[in-house]
């Protein structure tokens, strides 16, 4: 088994879009291929996020996407890990761990104080991964979201 993690650029748009669409499907989002493609194209061309791709035996089977931010309480940069997805063919083969390791190395290399992430309450597989990698669940702060009307 050959597992390779690489940072995506515009030349990897199709792989990133395909995996992003799988991620959206996993979270039961309405399919919107053109919108998904435009979203990933913008992230890559503007370089306002970092996308890592995982290739297993030469086939892309997973990705993670991180956004730069700042942590006010620690007065330092941090990263928001917004997306992590591994196709069923790549699950149980170390792909998610390798993607998370790449995210951690990015944070270390950029002097970040932390990586922040959220996952669904019923996504116990992801919760187990994160806990196993040393992430601590925050039971002190609550997360609130204000949904705005779409333009």
């Amino acid at each position: 088994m050959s597992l390779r993690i690489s940072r995506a650029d515009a030349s990897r748009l199709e792989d990133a879009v395909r995996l992003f669409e799988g991620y959206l499907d996993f979270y039961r989002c309405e399919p919107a291929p053109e919108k998904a493609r435009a979203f990933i194209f913008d992230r890559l061309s503007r370089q306002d996020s970092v996308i890592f791709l995982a290739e297993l035996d030469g086939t892309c089977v997973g990705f993670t996407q991180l956004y730069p931010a700042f942590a006010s309480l620690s007065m330092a940069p941090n990263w928001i890990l917004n997306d992590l997805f591994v196709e069923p063919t790549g699950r149980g083969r170390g792909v998610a761990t390798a993607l998370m390791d790449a995210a951690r190395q990015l944070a270390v290399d950029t002097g970040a104080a932390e990586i922040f992430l959220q996952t669904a309450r019923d996504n116990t597989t992801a919760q187990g991964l994160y806990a196993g990698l040393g992430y601590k669940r925050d039971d002190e702060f609550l997360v609130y979201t204000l949904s705005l009307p779409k333009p």
Side-chain angles (χ1 to χ4, degrees), residues 43-138:
R43 301 296 67 77
L44 292 173
S45 61
R46 294 178 185 171
Q47 298 180 3
D48 55 8
S49 75
V50 172
I51 298 173
F52 290 109
L53 299 174
E55 291 179 59
L56 192 58
D57 297 326
T59 301
C60 275
V61 296
F63 87 105
T64 190
Q65 181 168 210
L66 300 100
Y67 296 90
F70 293 93
S72 297
L73 297 179
S74 60
M75 295 177 279
N78 71 0
W79 287 92
I80 300 169
L81 192 150
N82 238 39
D83 314 318
L84 175 67
F85 175 73
V86 177
E87 291 181 331
T89 59
R91 294 180 188 158
R93 300 176 75 185
V95 175
T97 299
L99 287 165
M100 293 299 291
D101 288 347
R104 183 184 185 289
Q105 192 59 53
L106 172 70
V108 168
D109 291 348
T110 58
E114 63 190 4
I115 298 173
F116 172 82
L117 62 81
Q118 300 176 72
T119 193
R121 287 189 186 272
D122 64 351
N123 193 345
T124 55
T125 301
Q127 292 169 31
L129 170 70
Y130 304 143
L133 294 174
Y135 285 72
K136 304 293 182 212
R137 192 173 89 181
D138 186 336

Side-chain angles (χ1 to χ4, degrees), residues 3 13 25 59 77 113 124:
L3 177 57
L13 176 64
D25 183 59
T59 301
T124 55

